[in-house]
Amino acid sequence: MNADCLAVLTEHIRRYPQMQLEDAVKLLYQRAFGGGHLVEAGRALERIEMEWEAPAPADTPAYEPLGDRVGRLYLPPARAMGIAPETAAGMFLLSAEEIDRRMADFEAELAVLQTACRQGALPFDAAALACYLDGYRRAGYPPISHSARYHAAYHPHYRVIAAAYREGLPLIARIDRMLAAGETVRLAIDGASAAGKSTLASRLAALYRAPLIHMDDFFLPPERKTAERLAEPGGNVDYERFVAEVVEPLDRGEPFAYRPYRCQTHDFGPPVPITPGRLVIVEGAYCLHPLYAGRWNFRVFYGIDPAVQRQRILARNGERMLARFLTEWIPLEQRYDAAYHIHER
């Protein structure tokens, strides 16, 4: 029996004792298919705005996991956090695009539900469930609504989003609050290798359609990696070029382009055009260097457990590159962090 599936069902039945068998089937449907069936061209935001002021039980979380792929973003708590309806709609729509539909998983988890009911592990009548699923299967597994009892008890105003947004929700709420206050947001995401900086930044850039600048594009060329330069905290990045090509044009608020350095070929790629808007994102180690840290009005540091870091780098870069990370790049990052108290600031 799928342990994760059963654990999620059990937790939801504990949390929502008014759940009916169709609510359990809906939960499994969302685990397998996400919320893409609810997407209507041009109406996602309109429908969210209709539900934005809806009531919700006091203990409703902003995010409720349905497994490792998806979860429910509850609209009233999201609103209370400061998340804008446009942002909630964006997370929902982007998630619908990326979550692949898994019919085989859905059918396997329906079998888990049936087995658990026959064994008395879940409080639904096994015969009634079998009858319900027989008709549901013959109908082609259409989208399913919550039961009237569930609606009356829990007011389920939510959207299904990718689980990858969960960790970033406090940051997203902070961005929305700043934008709502009329601020221009300059967000910098610094931190350890493989901690998730690029993944988070890419999601935010897609969600807000914001320009994204990678510090890896300012890798220090080999001919400038002198012992004196590398002994300098933060000296592993070409901060002079970053100031000239990014920081100063951003200060002027004008469109610009910077040259991304390609360490594999030791030359520059095509210019990357940047049109500054109300949100600009910079990500990567050394983006909170004291030379320009004061330019960013929202600063984030991502840490990571060393064992997890090692596993991620090995999976992402292979054994040979792992050795370079461990002996060269990670010590340089740690020296920079310690010298300038980056994570403390």
Side-chain angles (χ1 to χ4, degrees):
M1 187 179 294
N2 185 317
D4 177 66
C5 168
L6 183 58
V8 171
L9 283 166
T10 301
E11 171 59 21
H12 276 251
I13 290 167
R14 183 200 66 78
R15 183 174 178 84
Y16 306 108
Q18 297 301 315
M19 274 184 71
Q20 305 299 295
L21 60 87
E22 59 261 51
D23 301 305
V25 173
K26 182 178 182 69
L27 186 155
L28 299 184
Y29 187 99
Q30 291 172 339
R31 276 171 58 90
F33 304 136
H37 63 285
L38 292 175
V39 174
E40 297 180 42
R43 293 206 63 200
L45 176 57
E46 176 187 344
R47 294 175 66 89
I48 284 175
E49 288 176 332
M50 291 170 59
E51 300 176 54
W52 200 240
E53 302 291 337
D59 61 344
T60 301
Y63 180 89
E64 183 175 63
L66 300 183
D68 61 357
R69 296 202 315 147
V70 298
R72 293 170 176 170
L73 177 72
Y74 283 88
L75 303 182
R79 172 175 55 81
M81 289 176 67
I83 293 175
E86 295 84 359
T87 306
M91 285 188 281
F92 167 61
L93 292 170
L94 289 171
S95 298
E97 291 176 4
E98 74 175 76
I99 296 169
D100 57 313
R101 299 171 63 84
R102 298 182 176 180
M103 178 59 74
D105 287 356
F106 182 51
E107 292 184 327
E109 293 195 345
L110 289 177
V112 169
L113 174 62
Q114 288 186 285
T115 299
C117 290
R118 285 196 298 267
Q119 295 176 351
L122 296 177
F124 304 120
D125 181 78
L129 176 63
C131 181
Y132 176 87
L133 290 180
D134 181 61
Y136 185 53
R137 187 179 300 109
R138 284 188 279 104
Y141 297 133
I144 185 172
S145 299
H146 279 296
S147 66
R149 184 177 295 182
Y150 192 99
H151 267 290
Y154 307 119
H155 309 288
H157 298 284
Y158 62 77
R159 293 297 183 273
V160 177
I161 63 172
Y165 285 109
R166 179 183 189 177
E167 188 176 56
L169 287 178
L171 280 73
I172 289 168
R174 170 79 172 272
I175 291 170
D176 281 357
R177 292 195 302 270
M178 294 175 74
L179 293 175
E183 295 186 58
T184 295
V185 182
R186 298 292 182 255
L187 168 63
I189 305 174
D190 203 324
S193 293
K197 305 181 299 296
S198 298
T199 300
L200 170 67
S202 295
R203 282 195 170 275
L204 293 176
L207 179 60
Y208 290 97
R209 297 183 177 89
L212 172 59
I213 300 162
H214 300 282
M215 289 303 298
D216 281 353
D217 291 340
F218 295 86
F219 202 82
L220 194 68
E223 63 272 16
R224 296 181 57 196
K225 288 187 174 182
T226 63
E228 182 181 17
R229 178 64 179 241
L230 294 183
E232 175 189 336
N236 195 39
V237 68
D238 194 344
Y239 51 74
E240 298 94 341
R241 189 167 67 84
F242 183 71
V243 168
E245 296 191 8
V246 173
V247 175
E248 292 177 351
L250 269 179
D251 283 348
R252 294 191 294 268
E254 60 188 28
F256 62 94
Y258 72 84
R259 300 166 297 154
Y261 182 74
R262 301 294 182 238
C263 57
Q264 297 88 352
T265 55
H266 303 300
D267 60 7
F268 292 96
V272 176
I274 300 292
T275 301
R278 293 193 61 202
L279 171 64
V280 175
I281 304 167
V282 179
E283 73 81 22
Y286 309 110
C287 72
L288 292 180
H289 192 288
L291 278 173
Y292 36 76
R295 283 358 198 269
W296 323 127
N297 59 351
F298 187 4
R299 296 181 293 274
V300 176
F301 183 88
Y302 254 46
I304 187 172
D305 178 84
V308 176
Q309 182 184 47
R310 183 187 180 102
Q311 292 168 359
R312 287 185 181 178
I313 294 171
L314 180 61
R316 184 185 69 185
N317 302 100
E319 190 73 44
R320 185 178 68 84
M321 294 300 290
L322 172 63
R324 288 202 68 184
F325 272 94
L326 294 176
T327 61
E328 182 179 350
W329 296 320
I330 290 176
L332 289 172
E333 291 173 3
Q334 291 172 336
R335 190 183 311 150
Y336 152 79
D337 177 25
Y340 297 130
H341 308 285
I342 301 298
H343 72 278
E344 298 167 18
R345 295 166 51 227

